[in-house]
Amino acid sequence: MLDEESWRARERAHAERMRRWTLPYQQRRSRGEKHPVLDFLFQYYSFRPSHLQRWGPGPGVVLGGPGARKFLDRPGYREADGGVVVDESAFTDKRARTVSSILSLLEATASRRPRLSCFGLHEWAMVYRRPVAAIRHAQLPLRLGPTGTDAVVESLDIRCGHYDAFRFFTDAARPRNRLQPTRATQPELEQPGCLHANMDLYRAAYKLDPFVPAELVGDCFELAADIRELDMRASPYDLAALGYPPVAIETAHGRAEYARAQAEFTRRAAPLRARLISHCRLLLTLRK
Protein backbone atom coordinates (compact mmCIF):
# COMPACT_ATOMS: atom_id res chain seq x y z
CA MET A 1 0.00 0.00 0.00
CA LEU A 2 1.34 3.43 -0.97
CA ASP A 3 -0.38 6.53 0.32
CA GLU A 4 -0.88 9.37 -2.13
CA GLU A 5 2.02 11.43 -0.86
CA SER A 6 4.41 8.49 -1.31
CA TRP A 7 3.36 7.43 -4.78
CA ARG A 8 3.22 11.01 -6.04
CA ALA A 9 6.80 11.54 -4.83
CA ARG A 10 7.93 8.47 -6.78
CA GLU A 11 5.92 9.60 -9.79
CA ARG A 12 7.55 13.04 -9.79
CA ALA A 13 11.04 11.60 -9.33
CA HIS A 14 10.62 9.17 -12.22
CA ALA A 15 9.19 11.78 -14.60
CA GLU A 16 11.95 14.25 -13.76
CA ARG A 17 14.61 11.61 -14.30
CA MET A 18 13.27 10.59 -17.72
CA ARG A 19 12.78 14.17 -18.92
CA ARG A 20 16.54 14.44 -19.19
CA TRP A 21 16.12 12.49 -22.44
CA THR A 22 12.47 12.81 -23.43
CA LEU A 23 12.24 16.61 -23.31
CA PRO A 24 15.26 17.30 -25.59
CA TYR A 25 14.00 14.65 -28.02
CA GLN A 26 10.55 16.24 -28.17
CA GLN A 27 12.10 19.68 -28.63
CA ARG A 28 14.30 18.41 -31.48
CA ARG A 29 11.29 16.87 -33.18
CA SER A 30 9.35 20.12 -32.94
CA ARG A 31 12.25 21.89 -34.70
CA GLY A 32 12.70 19.15 -37.29
CA GLU A 33 16.19 18.33 -35.99
CA LYS A 34 17.85 14.93 -35.80
CA HIS A 35 20.43 13.60 -33.36
CA PRO A 36 22.45 10.64 -34.68
CA VAL A 37 23.16 9.26 -31.20
CA LEU A 38 20.16 9.88 -28.98
CA ASP A 39 17.25 9.65 -31.44
CA PHE A 40 17.97 5.94 -31.75
CA LEU A 41 16.59 5.40 -28.25
CA PHE A 42 13.15 6.61 -29.35
CA GLN A 43 13.07 5.47 -32.97
CA TYR A 44 14.60 2.00 -32.92
CA TYR A 45 12.86 1.22 -29.63
CA SER A 46 9.09 1.57 -29.84
CA PHE A 47 8.26 2.87 -26.36
CA ARG A 48 6.82 6.36 -26.60
CA PRO A 49 8.57 9.17 -24.71
CA SER A 50 5.29 9.96 -22.94
CA HIS A 51 5.07 6.35 -21.76
CA LEU A 52 8.68 6.33 -20.63
CA GLN A 53 7.96 9.37 -18.46
CA ARG A 54 4.80 7.79 -17.07
CA TRP A 55 5.16 6.17 -13.66
CA GLY A 56 3.53 2.95 -12.50
CA PRO A 57 4.16 0.76 -9.45
CA GLY A 58 3.99 -2.66 -11.03
CA PRO A 59 1.68 -5.43 -9.74
CA GLY A 60 0.65 -5.96 -6.16
CA VAL A 61 0.90 -2.33 -5.04
CA VAL A 62 -2.28 -0.53 -4.00
CA LEU A 63 -2.17 3.21 -4.71
CA GLY A 64 -4.16 5.12 -2.12
CA GLY A 65 -5.83 8.52 -2.11
CA PRO A 66 -8.35 10.15 -4.44
CA GLY A 67 -5.66 11.04 -6.98
CA ALA A 68 -5.06 7.36 -7.70
CA ARG A 69 -8.27 7.22 -9.73
CA LYS A 70 -6.38 8.78 -12.64
CA PHE A 71 -4.68 5.41 -13.17
CA LEU A 72 -8.06 3.96 -14.13
CA ASP A 73 -7.81 5.96 -17.36
CA ARG A 74 -4.95 3.68 -18.42
CA PRO A 75 -5.28 0.09 -19.60
CA GLY A 76 -4.39 -2.52 -17.00
CA TYR A 77 -5.61 -0.92 -13.75
CA ARG A 78 -8.64 -1.59 -11.56
CA GLU A 79 -10.18 -0.39 -8.32
CA ALA A 80 -9.25 -2.32 -5.18
CA ASP A 81 -9.92 -2.09 -1.47
CA GLY A 82 -8.31 1.17 -0.43
CA GLY A 83 -7.32 2.42 -3.88
CA VAL A 84 -6.20 1.39 -7.35
CA VAL A 85 -4.00 -1.54 -8.37
CA VAL A 86 -2.61 -3.14 -11.54
CA ASP A 87 -5.27 -5.52 -12.85
CA GLU A 88 -3.74 -8.99 -12.83
CA SER A 89 -6.59 -10.30 -15.01
CA ALA A 90 -5.13 -8.17 -17.82
CA PHE A 91 -2.11 -10.47 -17.79
CA THR A 92 -3.50 -12.59 -20.61
CA ASP A 93 -2.19 -15.80 -22.11
CA LYS A 94 -0.74 -13.72 -24.95
CA ARG A 95 1.15 -11.55 -22.47
CA ALA A 96 2.32 -14.67 -20.67
CA ARG A 97 3.77 -16.06 -23.92
CA THR A 98 5.64 -12.80 -24.48
CA VAL A 99 7.04 -12.88 -20.95
CA SER A 100 8.03 -16.53 -21.32
CA SER A 101 9.95 -15.71 -24.49
CA ILE A 102 11.67 -12.75 -22.82
CA LEU A 103 12.56 -14.89 -19.83
CA SER A 104 14.10 -17.64 -21.96
CA LEU A 105 16.35 -15.16 -23.76
CA LEU A 106 17.37 -13.40 -20.53
CA GLU A 107 18.20 -16.67 -18.79
CA ALA A 108 20.17 -17.98 -21.76
CA THR A 109 22.17 -14.77 -21.98
CA ALA A 110 22.87 -14.69 -18.25
CA SER A 111 24.16 -18.27 -18.33
CA ARG A 112 27.13 -17.42 -20.57
CA ARG A 113 30.46 -15.80 -19.95
CA PRO A 114 30.79 -12.34 -21.49
CA ARG A 115 32.81 -12.00 -24.67
CA LEU A 116 34.56 -8.63 -24.99
CA SER A 117 36.34 -8.94 -28.33
CA CYS A 118 33.87 -7.52 -30.86
CA PHE A 119 35.20 -3.92 -30.57
CA GLY A 120 32.04 -2.37 -32.00
CA LEU A 121 32.81 -3.45 -35.55
CA HIS A 122 29.11 -3.92 -36.29
CA GLU A 123 28.78 -0.19 -37.05
CA TRP A 124 31.73 -0.39 -39.44
CA ALA A 125 30.21 -3.44 -41.15
CA MET A 126 27.01 -1.45 -41.73
CA VAL A 127 28.87 1.00 -44.00
CA TYR A 128 31.44 -1.35 -45.54
CA ARG A 129 31.68 -0.78 -49.30
CA ARG A 130 28.44 1.16 -49.25
CA PRO A 131 28.17 4.44 -51.20
CA VAL A 132 28.47 7.37 -48.80
CA ALA A 133 25.08 8.72 -49.84
CA ALA A 134 23.45 5.42 -48.87
CA ILE A 135 24.81 4.99 -45.34
CA ARG A 136 22.53 5.49 -42.35
CA HIS A 137 24.11 8.72 -41.11
CA ALA A 138 25.12 10.17 -44.44
CA GLN A 139 25.12 13.68 -42.92
CA LEU A 140 28.14 12.75 -40.79
CA PRO A 141 31.70 12.45 -42.08
CA LEU A 142 33.54 9.16 -41.75
CA ARG A 143 36.61 9.64 -39.55
CA LEU A 144 38.84 7.63 -41.88
CA GLY A 145 36.91 8.20 -45.09
CA PRO A 146 35.31 5.39 -47.11
CA THR A 147 38.60 3.74 -48.10
CA GLY A 148 40.02 3.87 -44.58
CA THR A 149 36.76 2.54 -43.13
CA ASP A 150 36.77 -0.41 -45.52
CA ALA A 151 40.40 -1.13 -44.66
CA VAL A 152 39.54 -1.44 -40.94
CA VAL A 153 36.79 -3.95 -41.68
CA GLU A 154 39.18 -5.96 -43.84
CA SER A 155 42.00 -5.91 -41.27
CA LEU A 156 40.10 -6.93 -38.13
CA ASP A 157 38.21 -10.07 -37.12
CA ILE A 158 34.43 -9.46 -36.98
CA ARG A 159 32.67 -11.56 -34.33
CA CYS A 160 29.17 -10.11 -34.04
CA GLY A 161 26.62 -12.56 -32.64
CA HIS A 162 23.73 -10.14 -32.24
CA TYR A 163 21.13 -10.66 -34.94
CA ASP A 164 19.60 -7.19 -34.74
CA ALA A 165 23.00 -5.68 -35.49
CA PHE A 166 24.01 -8.29 -38.06
CA ARG A 167 20.87 -7.82 -40.12
CA PHE A 168 22.02 -4.28 -40.96
CA PHE A 169 25.44 -5.39 -42.26
CA THR A 170 26.08 -4.65 -45.91
CA ASP A 171 26.00 -7.63 -48.25
CA ALA A 172 29.77 -7.37 -48.65
CA ALA A 173 30.33 -7.41 -44.89
CA ARG A 174 28.14 -10.37 -43.97
CA PRO A 175 30.53 -13.12 -45.13
CA ARG A 176 33.31 -11.49 -43.08
CA ASN A 177 31.46 -12.12 -39.82
CA ARG A 178 32.62 -15.24 -37.98
CA LEU A 179 29.05 -15.85 -36.86
CA GLN A 180 25.92 -15.81 -38.99
CA PRO A 181 23.20 -15.10 -36.44
CA THR A 182 19.50 -15.47 -37.21
CA ARG A 183 16.41 -14.71 -35.16
CA ALA A 184 16.06 -18.44 -34.49
CA THR A 185 19.61 -18.75 -33.14
CA GLN A 186 19.40 -15.65 -30.96
CA PRO A 187 18.91 -17.61 -27.69
CA GLU A 188 22.01 -19.67 -28.58
CA LEU A 189 24.28 -16.72 -29.42
CA GLU A 190 23.24 -13.85 -27.17
CA GLN A 191 25.92 -13.15 -24.55
CA PRO A 192 26.16 -10.68 -21.67
CA GLY A 193 29.15 -8.77 -23.02
CA CYS A 194 27.27 -7.63 -26.12
CA LEU A 195 26.44 -3.91 -26.02
CA HIS A 196 23.22 -4.41 -27.94
CA ALA A 197 22.07 -7.32 -25.80
CA ASN A 198 22.49 -5.03 -22.80
CA MET A 199 20.72 -2.14 -24.51
CA ASP A 200 17.86 -4.51 -25.28
CA LEU A 201 17.18 -4.95 -21.58
CA TYR A 202 15.25 -1.73 -22.05
CA ARG A 203 13.01 -3.40 -24.64
CA ALA A 204 12.46 -6.37 -22.35
CA ALA A 205 11.46 -4.02 -19.53
CA TYR A 206 8.97 -1.89 -21.43
CA LYS A 207 7.33 -4.94 -22.98
CA LEU A 208 6.30 -5.86 -19.42
CA ASP A 209 4.53 -2.51 -18.84
CA PRO A 210 2.33 -2.03 -16.76
CA PHE A 211 3.36 -5.23 -14.99
CA VAL A 212 6.75 -3.85 -14.03
CA PRO A 213 7.78 -0.91 -11.82
CA ALA A 214 8.54 2.18 -13.89
CA GLU A 215 11.82 2.60 -12.04
CA LEU A 216 13.10 -0.67 -13.52
CA VAL A 217 12.19 0.50 -17.01
CA GLY A 218 13.99 3.76 -16.24
CA ASP A 219 17.10 1.94 -15.01
CA CYS A 220 17.24 -0.10 -18.21
CA PHE A 221 16.69 2.98 -20.36
CA GLU A 222 19.48 4.86 -18.60
CA LEU A 223 21.85 1.97 -19.24
CA ALA A 224 20.82 1.87 -22.90
CA ALA A 225 21.43 5.61 -23.24
CA ASP A 226 24.94 5.31 -21.82
CA ILE A 227 25.74 2.30 -23.99
CA ARG A 228 24.50 4.11 -27.09
CA GLU A 229 27.14 6.78 -26.58
CA LEU A 230 29.94 4.20 -26.58
CA ASP A 231 28.35 2.44 -29.53
CA MET A 232 28.55 5.58 -31.65
CA ARG A 233 31.87 6.85 -30.29
CA ALA A 234 33.40 3.56 -31.46
CA SER A 235 31.69 3.81 -34.85
CA PRO A 236 33.38 5.04 -38.05
CA TYR A 237 31.48 8.35 -37.84
CA ASP A 238 33.11 11.60 -36.74
CA LEU A 239 30.94 12.88 -33.88
CA ALA A 240 33.47 15.22 -32.29
CA ALA A 241 31.46 18.30 -33.29
CA LEU A 242 28.55 16.92 -31.23
CA GLY A 243 30.72 16.41 -28.16
CA TYR A 244 31.49 12.70 -28.60
CA PRO A 245 35.24 12.02 -28.80
CA PRO A 246 36.05 8.88 -30.77
CA VAL A 247 37.05 5.52 -29.37
CA ALA A 248 39.49 4.67 -32.15
CA ILE A 249 39.00 0.92 -32.34
CA GLU A 250 41.25 0.82 -35.42
CA THR A 251 44.15 1.11 -32.93
CA ALA A 252 45.24 -1.26 -30.17
CA HIS A 253 44.78 1.52 -27.60
CA GLY A 254 41.23 2.18 -28.81
CA ARG A 255 40.32 -1.50 -28.73
CA ALA A 256 41.57 -1.75 -25.15
CA GLU A 257 39.54 1.34 -24.21
CA TYR A 258 36.45 -0.18 -25.83
CA ALA A 259 36.89 -3.52 -24.03
CA ARG A 260 37.23 -1.78 -20.66
CA ALA A 261 34.04 0.20 -21.23
CA GLN A 262 32.27 -2.93 -22.49
CA ALA A 263 33.27 -4.79 -19.33
CA GLU A 264 31.85 -2.00 -17.18
CA PHE A 265 28.54 -2.08 -19.05
CA THR A 266 28.47 -5.86 -18.63
CA ARG A 267 28.86 -5.34 -14.88
CA ARG A 268 26.07 -2.74 -14.80
CA ALA A 269 23.72 -4.86 -16.90
CA ALA A 270 24.01 -8.02 -14.79
CA PRO A 271 21.81 -6.91 -11.85
CA LEU A 272 19.23 -5.41 -14.22
CA ARG A 273 19.04 -8.68 -16.13
CA ALA A 274 18.68 -10.53 -12.82
CA ARG A 275 15.86 -8.21 -11.74
CA LEU A 276 14.05 -8.73 -15.03
CA ILE A 277 14.45 -12.51 -14.75
CA SER A 278 13.03 -12.46 -11.24
CA HIS A 279 10.15 -10.26 -12.33
CA CYS A 280 9.31 -12.44 -15.34
CA ARG A 281 9.25 -15.53 -13.15
CA LEU A 282 6.93 -13.81 -10.72
CA LEU A 283 4.58 -12.69 -13.49
CA LEU A 284 4.32 -16.18 -14.93
CA THR A 285 2.93 -17.40 -11.62
CA LEU A 286 -0.15 -15.30 -12.38
CA ARG A 287 -1.15 -17.78 -15.08
CA LYS A 288 -0.78 -20.91 -12.92
Side-chain angles (χ1 to χ4, degrees):
M1 179 76 182
L2 285 177
D3 60 39
E4 186 159 348
E5 182 180 359
S6 298
W7 67 254
R8 283 196 182 275
R10 286 177 59 179
E11 182 180 51
R12 285 192 300 270
H14 175 75
E16 182 177 349
R17 178 189 180 195
M18 294 298 102
R19 283 194 194 102
R20 173 184 167 191
W21 293 277
T22 59
L23 184 59
Y25 173 69
Q26 291 162 336
Q27 291 172 336
R28 287 194 302 271
R29 285 192 67 188
S30 70
R31 296 190 298 263
E33 297 175 1
K34 295 181 179 180
H35 195 292
V37 179
L38 301 177
D39 286 357
F40 176 87
L41 300 164
F42 300 102
Q43 295 174 353
Y44 177 76
Y45 293 109
S46 61
F47 207 46
R48 296 177 183 176
S50 59
H51 288 184
L52 178 60
Q53 271 182 213
R54 191 173 66 181
W55 180 81
V61 179
V62 179
L63 303 176
R69 293 192 60 81
K70 70 176 184 177
F71 287 88
L72 298 175
D73 295 333
R74 301 187 201 170
Y77 287 84
R78 64 174 176 82
E79 290 189 79
D81 290 340
V84 174
V85 69
V86 169
D87 185 1
E88 293 182 358
S89 70
F91 190 74
T92 61
D93 288 340
K94 181 179 180 181
R95 293 295 298 265
R97 288 192 294 272
T98 297
V99 171
S100 181
S101 177
I102 291 171
L103 176 60
S104 294
L105 182 58
L106 292 172
E107 289 179 328
T109 305
S111 71
R112 300 189 178 97
R113 296 184 63 180
R115 180 166 48 83
L116 307 176
S117 57
C118 65
F119 306 124
L121 281 165
H122 55 276
E123 287 288 344
W124 298 70
M126 293 177 193
V127 303
Y128 179 64
R129 293 190 180 180
R130 178 167 283 170
V132 172
I135 65 177
R136 181 182 301 179
H137 301 294
Q139 78 278 19
L140 296 173
L142 296 172
R143 287 193 298 107
L144 306 180
T147 301
T149 300
D150 291 349
V152 171
V153 174
E154 291 165 358
S155 66
L156 295 176
D157 191 16
I158 306 177
R159 306 175 183 181
C160 179
H162 189 74
Y163 173 70
D164 283 318
F166 178 68
R167 66 191 178 99
F168 292 107
F169 280 27
T170 65
D171 290 342
R174 284 174 178 250
R176 293 185 170 275
N177 194 22
R178 276 199 182 192
L179 303 170
Q180 298 292 303
T182 65
R183 182 66 72 201
T185 61
Q186 188 175 11
E188 301 168 25
L189 295 178
E190 205 87 310
Q191 54 91 15
C194 173
L195 290 190
H196 280 266
N198 291 330
M199 289 180 73
D200 285 350
L201 294 177
Y202 169 55
R203 179 194 284 121
Y206 72 67
K207 280 182 173 289
L208 303 180
D209 181 68
F211 300 96
V212 65
E215 289 90 348
L216 179 52
V217 179
D219 289 344
C220 292
F221 177 87
E222 192 170 64
L223 176 67
D226 290 346
I227 290 175
R228 175 62 178 170
E229 289 192 17
L230 175 64
D231 198 33
M232 289 300 286
R233 287 179 60 213
S235 78
Y237 300 107
D238 188 348
L239 294 159
L242 293 175
Y244 299 98
V247 176
I249 57 92
E250 68 273 15
T251 69
H253 176 79
R255 290 193 292 276
E257 180 183 358
Y258 183 92
R260 286 193 297 270
Q262 191 177 15
E264 175 60 16
F265 285 129
T266 302
R267 183 195 65 78
R268 285 178 56 187
L272 295 180
R273 185 173 285 109
R275 285 165 62 189
L276 286 167
I277 287 172
S278 177
H279 206 80
C280 285
R281 290 172 177 167
L282 175 64
L283 290 176
L284 290 175
T285 65
L286 300 179
R287 303 306 301 169
K288 292 182 179 178

